[in-house]
Amino acid sequence: MDLTRLRLLVELQRLGTMAAVGEVAGMGTSAVSKHFAVLEREVGVALLAADGRRVRLTPAGHRLAAYAVDILARVEAAEAELAGAGEPAGRVDLATFISVSTPIVLPALGRLEAEHPGVDVRIIEHEPDEALALLQDGGADLALVYEYSLVPRRFPDSLTLHLIGTEPLLLSQPSDDPGADSRPLTRQRLRGLSEAHWIANSRGSDEDELVGRLCASAGFAPRIRHRVDNLEVVERFVAAGQAVGVMPKLAAATRRGVVHSPLGDLGGNRRVYLVGRTGAWAWAPIRLVARRLHEAAGDVLDGVGPLPAELAPPERDGTHGEPEREGFRGL
């Protein structure tokens, strides 16, 4: 059913005559009559009945007019929301990884709940490969993912990403190991770990490749003994003397028995991205969630730049949509 014809039906119920409807709609009476004939064919039931020289709505016409008021109101609300007018509202499923959940995601959610309670954010914890697959399948609307500068990731063309910052990488080493030192790691010190046991992630291959490339720069292949996903448990294994491993700064805790050495140029850094389906950023709730995450990242990540233009609030210039038609205000 065409929205214009539904508007005409509402106006007929309100004004009572074809002539009055034509006047407010800027149409001739004949054009209005043709619109109603088409609407009756679309719904397959008589909406108008002759009443002398005038027409009146049939019971079906009155019923459809009642529906039309609600339909038109919902359409206008949707247009206003998508154009950025009014209070943003809607559900946003955010896939994220564990080490940014506390320092970035929680502060962003706290501000969103206080300022925009109509935006309902649901968190799904996943590693990057799983998060990107969810985005492509429609199981998530937005994702925080990472890549290592030594292990660049190939992102699908159907997704758009924004770099929100970087964080340094650290070597976690038992404090009682010979050569354990909190100063930046040197290649010579790294060579001293050629016989050490290493610990890597249990859910992704990026960490294996990162550790492999790091150790290859010192001329040896790492001996990966353990695979653990929980970074707190990784630190406990290191403190217990079970292994050494690479740890992003946000996940590194001040723990007794562990020494952290910055990897510097030997290991590069970890890049954190906001990723969404191309075109999805136009929806106000997604754009708002992305802005709050970008702001929270500025407190904990390095190299956080200005807000990308795609995430900026739309200009309120009053030109969204079609010009308002005389006689249809407030429907």
Side-chain angles (χ1 to χ4, degrees):
M1 288 178 283
D2 180 83
L3 294 181
T4 297
R5 287 190 276 275
L6 290 180
R7 289 187 176 97
L8 293 174
L9 185 67
V10 172
E11 288 298 282
L12 182 61
Q13 184 181 52
R14 182 172 73 93
L15 299 172
T17 69
M18 292 273 201
V21 172
E23 185 177 347
V24 298
M27 302 179 186
T29 303
S30 176
V32 173
S33 178
K34 289 178 180 178
H35 273 295
F36 284 134
V38 173
L39 183 59
E40 287 184 323
R41 288 199 298 271
E42 287 177 339
V43 299
V45 65
L47 302 174
L48 308 178
D51 187 7
R53 298 181 62 183
R54 304 174 61 176
V55 295
R56 57 178 174 78
L57 292 180
T58 65
H62 281 291
R63 186 62 175 159
L64 182 58
Y67 275 120
V69 170
D70 184 57
I71 290 168
L72 295 171
R74 288 174 179 269
V75 169
E76 290 196 356
E79 289 174 343
E81 180 183 317
L82 294 176
E87 176 62 24
R91 171 173 167 172
V92 178
D93 291 324
L94 171 66
T96 184
F97 55 100
I98 191 66
S99 61
V100 296
S101 295
T102 299
I104 295 178
V105 176
L106 280 180
L109 290 186
R111 184 173 176 187
L112 275 168
E113 289 175 357
E115 297 177 352
H116 303 283
V119 178
D120 178 20
V121 182
R122 310 288 180 94
I123 301 302
I124 316 165
E125 192 263 307
H126 277 306
E127 287 296 294
D129 287 340
E130 299 165 311
L132 294 174
L134 270 182
L135 274 177
Q136 290 182 287
D137 294 342
D141 303 300
L142 194 62
L144 283 167
V145 303
Y146 64 83
E147 71 172 1
Y148 298 109
S149 57
L150 286 187
V151 191
R153 184 182 299 279
R154 184 179 295 278
F155 290 91
D157 293 337
S158 59
L159 303 178
T160 300
L161 60 151
H162 297 290
L163 176 67
I164 63 170
T166 64
E167 61 174 321
L169 298 174
L170 312 173
L171 174 71
S172 292
Q173 192 173 359
S175 58
D176 57 1
D177 273 9
D181 196 325
S182 60
R183 291 176 298 179
L185 187 68
T186 64
R187 189 164 278 108
Q188 181 177 357
R189 284 175 52 206
L190 181 57
R191 289 193 190 102
L193 298 173
S194 60
E195 297 301 315
H197 293 132
W198 289 75
I199 189 167
N201 192 293
S202 63
R203 290 202 290 173
S205 60
D206 290 1
E207 282 74 12
D208 283 18
E209 193 165 350
L210 171 66
V211 171
R213 292 186 181 188
L214 171 67
C215 295
S217 70
F220 68 94
R223 301 169 62 188
I224 296 178
R225 184 179 188 182
H226 305 295
R227 296 186 182 278
V228 177
D229 179 50
N230 187 298
L231 295 176
E232 181 180 353
V233 174
V234 169
E235 290 280 76
R236 292 185 181 277
F237 269 62
V238 172
Q242 288 289 316
V244 300
V246 174
M247 181 70 58
K249 184 179 179 180
L250 287 183
T254 302
R255 186 180 300 281
R256 187 174 181 179
V258 178
V259 173
H260 295 116
S261 305
L263 295 185
D265 292 339
L266 288 177
N269 57 30
R270 186 162 80 161
R271 303 165 181 154
V272 180
Y273 294 94
L274 269 170
V275 188
R277 289 185 295 278
T278 299
W281 309 94
W283 191 45
I286 287 181
R287 194 168 57 243
L288 184 60
V289 172
R291 287 206 301 274
R292 294 295 175 262
L293 290 170
H294 185 274
E295 292 164 1
D299 295 330
V300 295
L301 294 180
D302 299 331
V304 177
L307 193 69
E310 197 168 26
L311 305 184
E315 293 185 9
R316 303 293 179 83
D317 58 9
T319 61
H320 296 298
E322 296 181 356
E324 189 176 68
R325 292 193 177 121
E326 182 65 29
F328 290 152
R329 291 187 180 93
L331 292 183

